[in-house]
Amino acid sequence: MKISMKFFATLFIIMASTLYTKADIAPGTLTGIVTDKKDGTPIIGATVSVPDLKTGTVTDANGRYTLSHVSKGIYVVQFSYVGYSSFTQRVDFAKTTELNAKLQASSIEAGEVIITGVSRATEPRRSPIPMAAVGKTFINERAGAGNIIDAIANLPGVSAVTTGPNVSKPFIRGLGYNRVVTLMDGIRQEGQQWGDEHGIEVDQNSVDRVEVIKGPASLTYGSDAIGGVVNLISPQPVPDGTISGSVMSVYGTNQGLFNNSLRVQGHKNGLVWGLSRRLKMLKHIKTNTMAGYMPRALKSVMHA
């Protein structure tokens, strides 16, 4: 009888602890309305995102939004819309369930960029280390580059050492190789350190955003980051209940380059999925050798 009482008492404590833990870490929900600061009209299609969690949504016809399945904690929430200055607010999702935002119309001032390449989301003007961030538009304008490092090599303080059209290593203010850390969604890319012929093993079409820390970041990323960090970021999940896709095709006159990319993403009740496919092709290359021509280069990559 004593054993049974101890068993039931232990079982009760375990169940109570489990319920308390589940209640404590249950995902939070944030709702609100986004309006024009001048006249108070709702803004339709404004983007509401949580950069740290890579989640977000858009406002409906009434300017209202709902962020669901958000882990409780303190995160930066960003509100943005074309023609308006971005608005950011640090929110405690364990205590706050409603947040309204008023955006200021602006045709000149660009919205502040949220940097996610550090330990948590930070505004560049609040960071003691110089940072730079570029989006998908910047990358698409340089889609003819052989790889993603060449696409950002013209940023101030950033350069690349190349050994061919597809092999490039990032250099930040003169430091490179094992003194610059390259990340893909926070995961270190180690392949480029093995030799001059090893480049960054990342598909340039799968990168949606690039963030560069131009200075020491060893406390966060280890001693290798004494020169800086290049953080390559994939697209954020689409809003819940939607499926979206994009197709891109680039042609280069040099050697008849074709660079085709297909991307599809979806989000349903917290289940986020994505699929991308790339096909890269070159024409035959005429040479002065006895063979006369080099065979066509063909590369196909698929990511899920």
Side-chain angles (χ1 to χ4, degrees), residues 217-228:
S218 298
L219 289 177
T220 304
Y221 298 103
S223 59
D224 290 353
I226 190 174

Side-chain angles (χ1 to χ4, degrees), residues 48-72:
V48 184
S49 62
V50 184
D52 276 332
L53 301 179
K54 291 190 176 182
T55 186
T57 186
V58 295
T59 56
D60 58 18
N62 298 318
R64 299 199 62 86
Y65 72 90
T66 300
L67 276 173
S68 304
H69 309 290
V70 180
S71 301
K72 290 186 177 180

